[in-house]
Structure formats: structure tokens, C-alpha cells
Amino acid sequence: MSSSSVFKPFSEDLSVDLTLERIVGDVVDNFIPTVKMTVIYNSNRQLINGHELTPSLFISKPLVEIGGEDMRTSYTLIMTDPDAPSPSDPYLKEHLHWIVTDIPGTTNVLFGKEIVSYEAPKPMVGFHRFVFILFKQRGRQTVRPPTMRDCFNTRAFSQDNNLGLPVAAAYFNAQKETASRSRK
């Protein structure tokens, strides 16, 4: 076995962060990250797990760069809010913000197929977690769009589309921007 084919997880600490913040549990099952994923808002703001972003930063969709094996491997990216409409009463459980499929490895979302258009997060009450989940596809053009954004279930979507466990995930926190904060 060559050294390039040896499995190496990207970050042991990432799994801990995702578990502590209940991303693992509320959105996905426990997994080991195996693909590097970088989320960049406004051309220069790299997402760091657990940091708070202001809503004015994520009006436009981010650039998401995908590592992976090579361009022949395809990935699906999901962005969801497990705290909708309010963290104290998340009866919608997950609100779907974005899905891009058929993203070739070692590229970014611009090379994929957007099957659910980007909807900018608009938290109204409390701190919300906004989660990016990356799945490795079994083949190209195999992922079907969901029927609705509200009450979305990442686990069920993954199962219905034969995606398996995630290969990467990242998240940020956000709350409604007050008038004084938005003027900065």
C-alpha cells in the first residue's frame, strides 16, 4: 500500500467540536472527517468552527473548497440550520439553506450542480448553528433534490440518496443583527 492511499483523518479536534456543539447528534451521526473542506465568505473570511458571524457577512453564498482524492470523485454539500425557527423551540428542526451536488474533488462548489439555491440565513431569535455537511457520492448525478426546505432531515436525505456518513463538516453561529451592530 502506498503512503498516499493510507487513511488519515483531517482533524481529531473537529469531531470533538461537532460533538460538543451537538452537530453530531442533532444533524449527523458520529463520523471521522477524511476530506478537507474550507468555507470562505466575502472572498476573505474563512469560517472557523463555532465562531459567530454577523448576518451581513453571509448574504451571498460562500466559496466552499473541497479537498478529496481527485476530480473523478464527486461530493454533495448541504447547508442547514438545526435551530429553526428558534433554538429554544426548533420545531422545524432543520431548515435547508443550500445543496450543491456533483462537486469534483480538489475543486470548489462552482464546479458542482446547485439543486437547492442558496438562501441566506436570517436568524430571528437566539443563537443559531449553521452547518455545512459534505458527503462523498457513490456516483455522479445520483442525488435527488428534497421536496421542501423546512423540516429537512440530513440523515434521511443521506440515506435516501445513498450518501453514507459525512466526510467533512463545519459550522458557525449567528444571531439577529441589531441596528447598532449592522451600521458598523
Side-chain angles (χ1 to χ4, degrees):
M1 183 183 298
S2 73
S3 62
S4 64
S5 64
V6 175
F7 167 78
K8 293 181 182 175
F10 275 93
S11 172
E12 301 293 331
D13 296 339
L14 175 64
S15 296
V16 173
D17 289 343
L18 296 173
T19 300
L20 289 174
E21 292 300 321
R22 299 182 340 270
I23 305 302
V24 169
D26 288 354
V27 181
V28 295
D29 293 324
N30 198 22
F31 72 98
I32 297 172
T34 57
V35 174
K36 185 175 181 179
M37 176 176 70
T38 305
V39 180
I40 302 168
Y41 272 100
N42 292 339
S43 302
N44 63 357
R45 182 73 185 254
Q46 184 173 333
L47 181 122
I48 298 171
N49 272 350
H51 282 210
E52 182 179 354
L53 298 180
T54 57
S56 59
L57 280 176
F58 45 78
I59 291 170
S60 300
K61 60 183 148 187
L63 177 64
V64 182
E65 297 173 345
I66 309 298
E69 299 164 18
D70 57 46
M71 291 182 72
R72 293 175 299 211
T73 305
S74 296
Y75 295 90
T76 292
L77 176 73
I78 297 172
M79 180 185 178
T80 185
D81 173 3
D83 301 316
S86 154
S88 61
D89 185 21
Y91 65 85
L92 297 177
K93 253 320 175 196
E94 288 184 62
H95 179 79
L96 179 62
H97 285 273
W98 196 28
I99 297 181
V100 182
T101 65
D102 299 326
I103 307 164
T106 71
T107 68
N108 63 56
V109 292
L110 299 175
F111 293 91
K113 178 182 176 188
E114 189 176 69
I115 64 169
V116 175
S117 62
Y118 181 78
E119 179 183 279
K122 295 178 182 111
M124 297 307 291
V125 177
F127 279 93
H128 289 245
R129 298 166 293 165
F130 294 95
V131 186
F132 295 89
I133 307 114
L134 186 69
F135 292 94
K136 182 177 177 180
Q137 293 176 214
R138 306 279 188 248
R140 292 185 60 77
Q141 300 178 351
T142 58
V143 178
R144 297 173 311 280
T147 56
M148 60 185 165
R149 288 183 186 259
D150 286 336
C151 300
F152 180 77
N153 185 302
T154 299
R155 282 186 189 92
F157 183 81
S158 170
Q159 185 175 14
D160 292 346
N161 287 283
N162 197 27
L163 295 172
L165 290 172
V167 294
Y171 74 99
F172 66 89
N173 297 310
Q175 65 179 326
K176 184 176 183 177
E177 204 165 4
T178 62
S180 62
R181 285 178 70 185
S182 62
R183 288 187 206 142
K184 291 181 182 177

